Amino acid sequence: MTLQWVLDEIRKRPGTGEVVPIIDPVTEEQLTEFTDCGAAAVDEAVARARAAFDSGVWRGMPGSERARIMWRVADLIEQYADDLAEIDSLNTGMPLAQARAIMPSSAELFRYYAGWCTKVDGDAHDVQMTGGISGAHADLHTYTLKEPYGVVGQIIPWNGPVFIAWGKLAPAMAAGCSSILKPAEETPLSALVLEKILAEAGVPEGVVTVLTGYGHTAGAALAAHPGVDKIAFTGSTEVGKQIVHAATGNLKKVLLELGGKSPVLIYDDADLKTAIPMAAMGIFVHSGQGCICGSRIFVQRGVYDRVVEGLTKVADTVKLGGPKEEGAAIGPLISQKQLTRVMGFIDEGKEAGVEVVTGGHRLDRRGYFVHPTVLTNVDRGMRLYQQEIFGPVVTVLPFDDDDEAVTMANDTTYGLAATVWTTNLGRAHRLAKRLESGTVTLNCQLVFDHAVPVGGYKQSGWGYEYGRAGIETYLQTKSVLTQL
Ligand code: ADP
């Protein structure tokens, strides 16, 4: 499954809609193109997924057998890791080493959820009902069954194509659902390799179907489809809201992993040698195109100047470049559209009097590269402070005490991730309780484990992924009551 194979293969996929170009964000040249699958393909995919689900070919398979297949998927992810990394790095522009580093974790994610295949069970309750509608008293034996939702649509963004796809598929497969995965139109290439891997591992036909198309066509049709029981979406809050509206037709359940405007609090007593580079890469990594990126840094006044200086130094010295450029730690933005959007926020800030300590411009070379940007003197009402930019842009503001830090940290409609840097552990844990955020990291950033649930507070999401909560996302509960 070479790069050339995937570039050719995507051209051959059937489609009835528009031709979609795939652009290399490093050269701004077209890599290949494909045809939008169109709405009819969504109908077909739903019918196939439903047939697979209803036949019981996957959900009815013994859990231990499903687990074995999922382990084979994990082994194949390792076997094809270099191909997957090469394809994802070419398609997104991320450094090859970073794309490679994600692969072992994707394999382990499959092994983690393989373990859950044999552990899906409900609860039993012996209860004495008193005073029901008939006034009867009854001894009841009751139990709950955990059952897969059925057909799930999984719509994912372009910022981590392989990692996010596996993160959606593994728990749904462990639960026994049939998945229809729609990668982003910018980055559909690695999804074709995923399809191959699943078939090679022995996943039955119809359990996972990949649809390649635009969001407003294939994605919207999937979100509105009456034959889809649940939608799991990762992407912008704006599109998440559209999906919620589309889902109302059949009241399908919705899981949303949305945007963030994550605060990072750096205290006077923090280990600044670690905190400064981590906070810098916590926003600049992947050119800020990560929902958990710490895009608002708050610094206690005593070390404010030192931290701004340190962040600026990282911004000015970190190397930007294409996937295979020696020493490049950060790639470009994904597209011209994203470049225009990011520069729009920066230019608006400049006009409003924000101080650009460093950056604020695209690089003088081909590719959608933006110089890592540090902004101060920012008004908290500004769009660039309130909205997710999804670029290498950070605002830095000073604070005096916990109350002020918490007020500013909680001051957006998002609540995805937050970080505290301090050597005072008591304060760190007190702040963890006060921050309105689905994840709080203390003295670390960009950390993750499959066993730990991820979800958004406020407008950062609905529901949870990863860990036990991740498989429960794809299970519904049935209660069975028996009169003894
Ligand atoms: P953008 O591309 O503007 O950044 P997102 O990152 O939110 O938007 O897109 C994430 C995913 O959602 C992509 O797969 C995209 O194709 C899809 N998408 C976009 N618009 C819709 C929509 N109206 N309905 C369903 N999916 C959509």
Side-chain angles (χ1 to χ4, degrees), residues 279-299:
M281 288 316 280
I283 174 65
F284 300 143
V285 71
H286 204 15
S287 271
Q289 300 171 111
C291 49
I292 58 166
C293 283
S295 51
R296 294 179 302 138
I297 299 181
F298 302 100
V299 188

Side-chain angles (χ1 to χ4, degrees), residues 58 66 70 113-114 116-117 120 169-177 471 475:
W58 182 246
R66 271 193 289 130
M70 290 184 66
Y113 277 111
W116 276 107
C117 292
V120 172
L169 292 175
M173 287 172 68
C177 289
I471 185 167
L475 294 167

Side-chain angles (χ1 to χ4, degrees), residues 155-158 182-185 215 219-220 233 235-236 239 242-243 337:
I155 301 175
I156 60 170
W158 38 261
K182 197 206 82 64
E185 52 272 31
F233 170 76
S236 59
V239 174
Q242 290 174 27
I243 285 177
K337 179 178 151 201

Side-chain angles (χ1 to χ4, degrees), residues 283-404:
I283 174 65
F284 300 143
V285 71
H286 204 15
S287 271
Q289 300 171 111
C291 49
I292 58 166
C293 283
S295 51
R296 294 179 302 138
I297 299 181
F298 302 100
V299 188
Q300 205 165 18
R301 207 170 292 275
V303 291
Y304 179 77
D305 289 341
R306 216 174 125 194
V307 171
V308 172
E309 193 185 314
L311 294 170
T312 305
K313 193 165 166 207
V314 176
D316 290 343
T317 52
V318 66
K319 185 164 179 218
L320 278 71
K324 292 182 180 166
E325 282 177 49
E326 190 66 31
I330 299 177
L333 295 174
I334 188 71
S335 61
Q336 177 62 52
K337 179 178 151 201
Q338 197 57 21
L339 177 69
T340 305
R341 187 182 136 81
V342 170
M343 290 311 300
F345 276 108
I346 294 174
D347 291 342
E348 194 178 301
K350 284 179 184 167
E351 272 163 38
V354 162
E355 185 186 342
V356 182
V357 182
T358 190
H361 56 85
R362 71 179 291 188
L363 295 195
D364 186 16
R365 57 167 283 174
R366 277 181 90 76
Y368 309 121
F369 293 95
V370 170
H371 190 295
T373 298
V374 178
L375 305 176
T376 57
N377 193 23
V378 173
D379 185 303
R380 281 159 52 207
M382 282 178 180
R383 231 168 52 93
L384 68 84
Y385 177 91
Q386 289 292 336
Q387 292 187 18
E388 184 176 48
I389 298 176
F390 232 54
V393 181
V394 67
T395 61
V396 195
L397 290 177
F399 68 87
D400 287 307
D401 57 23
D402 291 354
D403 286 344
E404 193 184 7

